[in-house]
Structure formats: C-alpha cells, structure tokens
C-alpha cells in the first residue's frame, strides 16, 4: 500500500517530463522554421474546432469547456512535394481558401507552421507551460517526501 504513495507520483512525474520534452521540441521546431527555414505559399483547406470538457465528456456536473480552433493547410515544397498539415490555435481570421505563408525546415516539411513569427509569444507560452509542469513535479516530489516522513515516523526509526 505504501508503494502507491511513491509509484503514482513517479508515474505522474514521468508523464509530465514527457509533456515538457514535447513542448520544448515543438517550440524548437517552430523557432527553427522561423529562423532558418524556408517559406512557401500555402492554402487553408479547412477549419474546425475541437471541444473538450463539459458535462457531456465527463458525465459529472458542469465543468469547464475548452474549444481549440484548428486549420488544415496544404503547401508545395521547393522540391515539388505536396504537404498537408493540421495546426491548432491559428488565427480565427484565416478561413477556408485563404492563402498563408508557411514556414518549414527543408528536412522536415511535415512539421511546418503557418503561425506568423512571434518569438516573444512563443517563448512566453513555452516558459509558462514549463513553469506549470515544474510546479506539478515539485508537488509530486513534496507529496513523496511527506508520505515518506509519515511512513517512517509510523514505523519508528529510519531503516
């Protein structure tokens, strides 16, 4: 039973660490595309929203609802390869049929972005996510320390 007080926080820490790594990776991809990538004219093929939360998803009472706007873009690389990609949180002013500038790295055009360069916004967003994930890790470590202290005091002396 005591092991659960260590195993579950470790599982959460591993999951949060993976999320942090993915956040940093995507941020570096976008930054690299803006700084060292190529540009192409792309076209918005489709827009849609993805909604999460609410009473329908959880079966529990009223919960917060989060709606994310997605765009599906298509562009042609300089080598003539047609690439289609889906990107979340794009501008709501871009609608189906609009032409946009796409930023991509030549070695990975499928990881393109149509977000306009906004380095400060990218850094702030990435930093905010990493701070939040760091707090989650700190809470898990604190929980394990408190649990360890409680169990060792209950058993007497430290082994």
């Amino acid at each position: 039973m005591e092991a659960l007080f260590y195993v579950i926080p470790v599982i959460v820490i591993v999951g949060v660490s993976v999320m942090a790594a993915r956040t940093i990776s995507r941020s570096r991809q976008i930054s690299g595309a803006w700084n060292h990538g190529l540009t192409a004219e792309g076209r918005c093929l489709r827009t849609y929203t993805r909604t999460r939360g609410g009473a329908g998803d959880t079966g529990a009472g009223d919960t917060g609802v989060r709606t994310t706007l997605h765009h599906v873009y298509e562009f042609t690389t300089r080598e003539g390869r047609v690439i289609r990609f889906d990107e979340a949180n794009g501008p709501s002013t871009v609608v189906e049929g609009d032409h946009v500038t796409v930023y991509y790295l030549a070695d990975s055009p499928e990881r393109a972005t149509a977000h306009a360069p906004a380095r400060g916004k990218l850094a702030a967003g990435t930093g905010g996510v990493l701070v939040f994930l760091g707090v989650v890790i700190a809470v898990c470590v604190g929980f394990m320390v408190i649990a360890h202290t409680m169990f060792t005091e209950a058993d007497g002396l430290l082994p």
Side-chain angles (χ1 to χ4, degrees):
M1 181 66 177
E2 293 175 21
L4 289 177
F5 288 96
Y6 303 111
V7 172
I8 291 174
V10 167
I11 291 171
V12 171
I13 289 170
V14 168
V16 167
S17 298
V18 168
M19 291 171 63
R22 292 181 75 189
T23 299
I24 292 168
S25 175
R26 182 60 183 158
S27 179
R28 290 184 67 189
Q29 289 170 358
I30 291 172
S31 180
W34 287 341
N35 295 330
H36 311 293
L38 305 171
T39 59
E41 182 177 327
R43 191 168 60 93
C44 178
L45 300 177
R46 178 175 167 233
T47 63
Y48 66 96
T49 57
R50 180 171 289 161
T51 304
R52 294 183 183 166
D57 283 354
T58 61
D62 293 332
T63 61
V65 176
R66 179 182 166 142
T67 302
T68 306
L69 179 62
H70 288 256
H71 293 88
V72 178
Y73 297 107
E74 184 176 81
F75 71 99
T76 304
T77 65
R78 291 186 181 174
E79 294 78 32
R81 202 170 138 205
V82 176
I83 303 291
R84 184 177 293 184
F85 68 99
D86 182 318
E87 187 168 50
N89 299 318
S92 59
T93 55
V94 174
V95 295
E96 202 170 301
D98 282 356
H99 291 272
V100 296
T101 300
V102 174
Y103 303 87
Y104 69 99
L105 292 171
D107 59 343
S108 56
E110 60 281 345
R111 294 184 180 142
T113 183
H115 289 290
R119 288 160 186 82
K121 186 177 176 182
L122 178 65
T126 302
V129 169
L130 293 177
V131 166
F132 173 76
L133 296 176
V135 168
V136 171
I137 290 173
V139 167
C140 288
V141 169
F143 178 80
M144 288 189 302
V145 167
I146 290 170
H148 180 74
T149 303
M150 288 175 40
F151 290 129
T152 54
E153 287 178 1
D155 291 341
L157 300 173
L158 274 170

